[in-house]
Amino acid sequence: MKKSIFAPGVVKLFGEHAVVYGKPAIAAAIDKGVYIDCVSSDRLVVETVGITTGLRFSPLDRRVEAFGAEKFFAYVETALRLAQERWGDLAAKFTIRSDLPPSAGAATSAAVSVGILKAYALCAGADVGDEEAAKLGHKVELEVQGIASPMDTAAVTYGGVLKILTNPFRAEPLKIQLPPFYIVLLPRLGTTGEIVKDVRALLGKRKSATWVIEAIGKVVEEAEGCLRAGDLECVGELMDINNWLLGALGVVDGRVVDLLGMLKPFIYGGKISGAGRGGIVILIPKEGDVVSRILKGLGYPYYKVSVYPKGAGEV
Ligand code: MEV
């Protein structure tokens, strides 16, 4: 019998990068993400549909048929290994579909990691609580990326809008209403791991960069108040400020600046989401129809998304 898990993607409303250095952040699960089906089989097989054409992977002989798939499958393979260590061997076929392309900045790596862990446990007839799923998912990201905060895996696991606090790590649900918003996908110039390492190198070299991290932390605190008050003008302005601060860390390029500049009259504000250098740009629309029309004309893929109130789970 087929069992299915949906693991939501995640956007960072405020605070990415600074969260790696102990500052708070605000993340939101969205209604686009990763679907993982599991059916019994004579061996462990994983295949993807639509992520890259005709991609097929056998974890047993480590065969990957398609260029560029290695990174995505590193998460899949690591999650499978941890699941196998935790719940024992499983002969099953997993089929993975994603609404969003991998490596865009929508935490598809966290979604696929937590999703595989949840699907494996479900199909093995085991129970996995959210705390354990989030912890194991973070372990997958750490193994594959080298550096990763627990933010993305927590947001995939718990869903909704979360304030992320570090030292010790906590993910506090923020009971707020955020109207649907847009995400635009720009081609990515670098992986999350590479970009996070570049920021770390800059911080090691330039004292001034550490004040940028401090400032992002302050923006997050103020943004929480605006989100709680439902004040979209304030949310948008603080997104713009957060985006310029991320620019000072070298992760926002001209394409993002041009896009936000062009859309300025029709949005409250916007910013990159995730590691940056392209990837996802969030737009909080004032005039959604105009924003859609302009985005269509520009030819970038874009989606209108809503906050997904639940975490990864059976559908
Ligand atoms: C990546 O989605 C978000 C970063 O803050 C890195 C992390 O938190 O691990 C850039």
Side-chain angles (χ1 to χ4, degrees):
M1 206 183 68
K2 186 170 95 173
K3 298 199 166 150
S4 303
I5 291 278
F6 172 68
V10 174
V11 293
K12 271 58 75 170
L13 298 178
F14 294 97
E16 59 271 82
H17 283 292
V19 73
V20 177
Y21 303 96
K23 302 296 166 209
I26 299 175
I30 54 173
D31 57 355
K32 299 259 178 280
V34 174
Y35 296 83
I36 300 170
D37 298 336
C38 160
V39 290
S40 54
S41 168
D42 56 347
R43 63 193 179 110
L44 182 62
V45 182
V46 178
E47 65 179 35
T48 62
V49 178
I51 292 176
T52 324
T53 341
L55 191 67
R56 197 178 267 271
F57 172 69
S58 165
L60 290 181
D61 56 13
R62 298 172 56 87
R63 206 158 39 85
V64 177
E65 298 164 8
F67 172 70
E70 292 81 356
K71 193 81 196 162
F72 179 77
F73 277 113
Y75 293 98
V76 174
E77 196 184 355
T78 309
L80 280 174
R81 204 195 66 240
L82 294 186
Q84 199 170 25
E85 283 166 16
R86 175 70 179 81
W87 297 293
D89 289 342
L90 180 68
K93 179 174 147 189
F94 292 93
T95 305
I96 308 173
R97 283 178 293 130
S98 179
D99 291 320
L100 302 166
S103 286
T108 44
S109 59
V112 83
S113 304
V114 174
I116 285 277
L117 289 159
K118 287 232 163 188
Y120 197 103
L122 182 68
C123 291
D127 256 349
V128 56
D130 282 346
E131 202 176 320
E132 184 178 18
K135 266 203 187 117
L136 285 173
H138 182 222
K139 211 167 161 197
V140 175
E141 290 224 305
L142 277 178
E143 269 196 39
V144 178
Q145 283 168 213
I147 312 173
S149 77
M151 169 170 63
D152 286 355
T153 37
V156 170
T157 306
Y158 298 109
V161 180
L162 296 172
K163 181 171 185 191
I164 304 294
L165 296 150
T166 51
N167 308 323
F169 177 78
R170 266 178 304 143
E172 276 178 8
L174 289 184
K175 298 212 176 335
I176 59 148
Q177 299 294 325
L178 189 64
F181 55 94
Y182 288 86
I183 58 173
V184 187
L185 269 59
L186 304 186
R188 194 81 186 279
L189 310 172
T191 65
T192 296
E194 286 161 5
I195 299 168
V196 170
K197 278 179 199 143
D198 285 354
V199 171
R200 174 166 285 186
L202 180 68
L203 290 169
K205 222 167 37 176
R206 300 286 167 243
K207 178 110 181 68
S208 300
T210 61
W211 297 112
V212 177
I213 297 287
E214 292 299 319
I216 292 176
K218 300 283 182 220
V219 171
V220 174
E221 297 296 354
E222 192 177 355
E224 181 185 347
C226 305
L227 285 165
R228 285 189 190 279
D231 182 345
L232 292 183
E233 199 152 319
C234 172
V235 168
E237 280 169 9
L238 291 178
M239 280 194 174
D240 288 344
I241 293 175
N242 195 160
N243 196 61
W244 286 114
L245 290 168
L246 287 163
L249 297 176
V251 302
V252 176
D253 60 52
R255 294 169 301 160
V256 177
V257 176
D258 289 349
L259 181 70
L260 291 174
M262 186 184 309
L263 290 169
K264 194 157 182 52
F266 314 110
I267 58 174
Y268 289 106
K271 61 181 277 295
I272 59 156
S273 165
R277 296 207 178 133
I280 283 190
V281 181
I282 305 176
L283 305 169
I284 306 293
K286 241 186 229 172
E287 293 179 46
D289 292 347
V290 185
V291 172
S292 287
R293 240 180 296 132
I294 294 175
L295 293 176
K296 204 172 278 169
L298 289 173
Y300 290 128
Y302 69 95
Y303 304 84
K304 192 171 185 182
V305 298
S306 297
V307 171
Y308 187 72
K310 293 186 292 181
E314 195 170 1
V315 283

